[in-house]
Amino acid sequence: MKRSSMIKGIQLHGWADGPQMVEVAEIAAGSFETVWLSDQLQSRGVAVLLGAIAARTGVGVGTAVTFPFGRNPLEMASSMATLAEFMPEGRRVTMGIGTGGGLVSALMPLQNPIDRVAEFIAMCRLLWQGEAIRMGDYPQICTALGLREDARASFSWTSKPDVRVVVAGAGPKVLEMAGELADGVICASNFPAHSLAAFRSGQFDAVSNLDALDRGRKRSRRGEFTRIYGVNLSVSADRESACAAARRQATLIVSQQPPENLHRVGFEPSDYAATRAALKAGDGVDAAADLLPQEVADQLVVSGTPGDCIEALAELLGYAEDAGFTEAYIGAPVGPDPREAVELLTSQVLPELA
């Protein structure tokens, strides 16, 4: 398999100006099958942006990833089904969903996260099939959102939209649930268990928890299942700017991950102690990122000039293919300037990988 043939999509963040995001997506649409948007409660509205991108470009769209907390599954199911109406032949909508990251947990408690994701998926699937659902049959969501137990809802307007459901995660419980209930899984390189560090350590099979995914698949009634690898990357003609953006992304990971997760793939406390201490002292992400060694960030986020990224991408995608992943996307932060990053990826990086 050619390395570039694995790369089907690109993930963008909704922090930039909305019209600019759509323009960047138009550039990406010439080389990528799917534009994924990260979903954060404090960024621009993901459904609005995905709708604009779908209508303007005809590219497949997806969330990478949404989450059940602070969200009504009726609204999300409606958004996904509506997006599917814009899809041309050969393109589809993907609802990527996870248990919520640091920005979400800073706003609200993430209670029973795996059960909440499972209920969310079940509700959406029945609604897409045009069936009526009873709120009380989903106790976690019903209680959290204050829904009436006997209330029923249905989408009379749907015609079984083609929406793929993929679950993002790294822990054994969420991966087992993904194997049973989803159409695919997302494993991202910026999480230690699925990182370049994990592959290079020779311990990937032991630390990746993909055996839990296989256990879930044995109980699944769903035939289709795609293993998607997200390569977190930062590219720019300015190497230092690209690396700085990568260190910032990596800082968010090393500051939130339990030390044992980092140690299992070869990171030592001395690698990230100063960064964690700076964040704890309230110095801010940028200041903390300046204290993270570049070689640590390189194990979590590919970064540098196009030439730097080509070599690192080839290595990482080779590992991912050997581990059973059949699809990949280029993930956040993409680069310090999203437009420049997408232009470099489409004109220089992807052609060389082919």
Side-chain angles (χ1 to χ4, degrees), residues 253 306 338:
I253 297 300

Side-chain angles (χ1 to χ4, degrees), residues 7 9-10 24-33 233 235 306 313 330 334 338-353:
I7 302 174
I10 186 166
V24 171
E26 284 187 288
I27 300 170
S31 300
F32 297 97
E33 294 179 9
L233 177 144
V235 64
L313 265 174
I330 302 298
V334 178
R339 179 186 292 274
E340 180 207 23
V342 171
E343 289 175 344
L344 292 173
L345 285 167
T346 57
S347 66
Q348 298 185 36
V349 177
L350 295 186
E352 284 300 317
L353 286 174

Side-chain angles (χ1 to χ4, degrees), residues 151-271:
R152 293 180 179 273
S154 64
F155 293 169
S156 60
W157 50 271
T158 56
S159 181
K160 296 184 179 180
D162 183 14
V163 180
R164 179 175 63 164
V165 177
V166 299
V167 172
K173 292 182 179 180
V174 70
L175 287 175
E176 186 168 352
M177 181 270 291
E180 181 177 7
L181 301 181
D183 302 312
V185 69
I186 294 175
C187 298
S189 70
N190 65 346
F191 280 87
H194 301 142
S195 66
L196 180 61
F199 285 122
R200 285 180 171 175
S201 72
Q203 302 297 312
F204 183 81
D205 289 344
V207 303
S208 67
N209 296 313
L210 293 184
D211 56 336
L213 183 69
D214 294 332
R215 289 196 298 272
R217 289 295 300 145
K218 291 178 181 179
R219 298 196 302 272
S220 179
R221 297 181 179 180
R222 306 193 66 80
E224 175 189 13
F225 197 85
T226 306
R227 298 186 182 215
I228 304 170
Y229 191 69
V231 182
N232 296 90
L233 177 144
S234 175
V235 64
S236 173
D238 183 338
R239 177 181 285 115
E240 178 48 40
S241 294
C243 292
R247 289 195 301 273
R248 193 180 193 282
Q249 181 83 5
T251 291
L252 298 175
I253 297 300
V254 301
S255 65
Q256 296 169 6
Q257 286 287 310
E260 57 267 25
N261 288 1
L262 296 165
H263 181 72
R264 290 175 71 193
V265 298
F267 292 120
E268 298 296 334
S270 58
D271 293 333

Side-chain angles (χ1 to χ4, degrees), residues 65 71 107 300 352:
V65 294
R71 295 293 165 78
L107 294 172
L300 301 168
E352 284 300 317

Side-chain angles (χ1 to χ4, degrees), residues 50-200:
L50 288 177
I53 291 169
R56 180 77 69 86
T57 69
V59 75
V61 294
T63 54
V65 294
T66 191
F67 44 86
F69 300 96
R71 295 293 165 78
N72 189 316
L74 295 171
E75 182 179 13
M76 182 58 67
S78 176
S79 295
M80 295 291 109
T82 304
L83 284 168
E85 295 177 342
F86 287 89
M87 291 295 102
E89 186 176 354
R91 294 291 182 262
R92 70 192 310 188
V93 173
T94 303
M95 185 177 78
I97 185 168
T99 55
L103 290 176
V104 181
S105 62
L107 294 172
M108 63 192 81
L110 307 186
Q111 296 178 339
N112 304 311
I114 296 173
D115 291 340
R116 288 284 294 276
V117 172
E119 285 191 0
F120 202 98
I121 293 172
M123 288 182 75
C124 287
R125 287 205 191 278
L126 288 177
L127 288 167
W128 292 330
Q129 293 170 15
E131 297 186 22
I133 61 172
R134 176 182 174 274
M135 300 300 104
D137 292 339
Y138 308 91
Q140 301 283 345
I141 290 174
C142 188
T143 299
L145 298 182
L147 301 174
R148 298 180 185 276
E149 289 187 8
D150 292 332
R152 293 180 179 273
S154 64
F155 293 169
S156 60
W157 50 271
T158 56
S159 181
K160 296 184 179 180
D162 183 14
V163 180
R164 179 175 63 164
V165 177
V166 299
V167 172
K173 292 182 179 180
V174 70
L175 287 175
E176 186 168 352
M177 181 270 291
E180 181 177 7
L181 301 181
D183 302 312
V185 69
I186 294 175
C187 298
S189 70
N190 65 346
F191 280 87
H194 301 142
S195 66
L196 180 61
F199 285 122
R200 285 180 171 175

